[in-house]
């Protein structure tokens, strides 16, 4: 999932759209050189929002490779500016976590609005979390309904989707609702509720 900041001030654009280019960074290349010289792995034009989703039907990106991407803003057909160039490598996650048979407590990286209550039926809390920060270690906390801290953790995350696992305390009561908190860099806190299955 690619996300970027719109150019400012927006009022100077009457027909704002974007073009995104994604390239592979070869050994010995800088990300800037790769953007200028390499053929795109994927490109998309006439994007009307400041987000783009890499299509699952397209070729899979390789966890062993480094990629760079850049966005060009346009006002109609006219050039409006370029973003900085971002570089990333896909995290090599354990495939068994991302299956149709595993449920996840999702912590939405776009909004702190709480969703439905996740039901935990084991001692392991599987978490799906979208991080906008590259290579960070974030604090996670489990709190009870009154906000009392029950357990704290630290987990490393990379830019994009992260699959995390936490061993929950054994004294959590069935039916009671608890909160999982992730404190992002900059102090923003995302919360999601969960309860222990009866």
């Amino acid at each position: 999932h690619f996300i970027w900041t719109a150019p400012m001030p927006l009022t100077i654009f009457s027909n704002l759209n974007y073009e995104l280019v994604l390239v592979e960074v070869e050994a010995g290349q800088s990300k800037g050189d790769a953007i200028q010289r390499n053929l795109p792995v994927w490109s998309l034009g006439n994007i009307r929002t400041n987000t783009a989703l890499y299509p699952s039907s397209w070729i899979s990106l390789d966890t062993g490779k480094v990629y760079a991407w850049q966005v060009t803003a346009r006002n109609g057909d006219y050039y409006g500016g370029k973003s900085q160039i971002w570089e990333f490598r896909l995290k090599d996650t354990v495939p068994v976590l991302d299956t149709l048979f595993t449920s996840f407590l999702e912590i939405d990286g776009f909004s702190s609005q709480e969703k439905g209550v996740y039901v935990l039926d084991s001692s392991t809390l599987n978490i799906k979390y979208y991080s906008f920060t590259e290579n960070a270690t974030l604090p996670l906390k489990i709190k009870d309904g009154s906000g009392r801290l029950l357990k704290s953790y630290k987990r490393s995350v990379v830019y994009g989707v992260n699959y995390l696992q936490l061993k929950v305390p054994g004294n959590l009561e069935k039916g009671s609702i608890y909160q999982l908190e992730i404190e992002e860099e900059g102090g923003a806190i995302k919360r999601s509720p969960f309860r222990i299955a009866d």
Side-chain angles (χ1 to χ4, degrees):
H1 202 137
F2 298 92
I3 300 170
W4 57 91
T5 303
M8 294 295 174
L10 281 174
T11 52
I12 68 172
F13 294 90
S14 59
N15 186 14
L16 179 62
N17 65 95
Y18 304 97
E19 177 184 286
L20 183 150
V21 175
L22 172 69
V23 301
E24 180 185 338
V25 180
E26 297 174 358
Q29 270 191 318
S30 68
K31 58 187 178 182
D33 191 39
I35 283 286
Q36 288 183 355
R37 297 177 181 271
N38 298 356
L39 289 174
V41 173
W42 177 62
S43 63
L44 187 64
N46 200 31
I47 307 168
R48 296 292 172 170
T49 64
N50 62 329
T51 67
L53 186 64
Y54 188 82
S56 58
S57 59
W58 202 249
I59 58 172
S60 297
L61 299 181
D62 192 333
T63 56
K65 295 179 178 179
V66 176
Y67 297 93
W69 62 286
Q70 186 177 41
V71 174
T72 301
R74 299 188 182 280
N75 192 19
D77 293 329
Y78 296 98
Y79 175 80
K82 286 184 182 290
S83 71
Q84 67 183 85
I85 300 170
W86 292 282
E87 189 177 68
F88 70 93
R89 184 194 302 269
L90 290 182
K91 184 177 181 182
D92 191 5
T93 55
V94 181
V96 71
L97 282 178
D98 194 15
T99 70
L100 295 174
F101 305 103
T102 303
S103 64
F104 295 93
L105 172 63
E106 292 197 37
I107 297 188
D108 190 344
F110 302 98
S111 168
S112 59
Q113 182 178 0
E114 295 177 356
K115 299 180 179 179
V117 177
Y118 175 85
V119 179
L120 177 64
D121 58 4
S122 72
S123 62
T124 301
L125 188 57
N126 294 316
I127 302 160
K128 185 176 181 181
Y129 169 67
Y130 193 98
S131 172
F132 294 95
T133 305
E134 294 186 43
N135 302 321
T137 300
L138 303 181
L140 295 88
K141 298 175 183 178
I142 292 178
K143 294 184 176 182
D144 64 15
S146 64
R148 182 170 56 100
L149 177 65
L150 302 177
K151 182 78 174 177
S152 60
Y153 312 81
K154 286 193 174 181
R155 291 292 184 272
S156 295
V157 298
V158 296
Y159 183 91
V161 176
N162 293 262
Y163 295 98
L164 310 173
Q165 289 186 308
L166 303 179
K167 290 289 184 184
V168 300
N171 60 347
L172 300 188
E173 298 178 1
K174 292 180 179 179
S176 295
I177 294 180
Y178 299 91
Q179 292 283 345
L180 174 69
E181 292 186 357
I182 290 186
E183 184 177 346
E184 300 178 315
E185 287 194 340
I189 295 177
K190 307 296 184 188
R191 299 182 178 91
S192 284
F194 70 95
R195 68 177 177 85
I196 309 299
D198 296 328

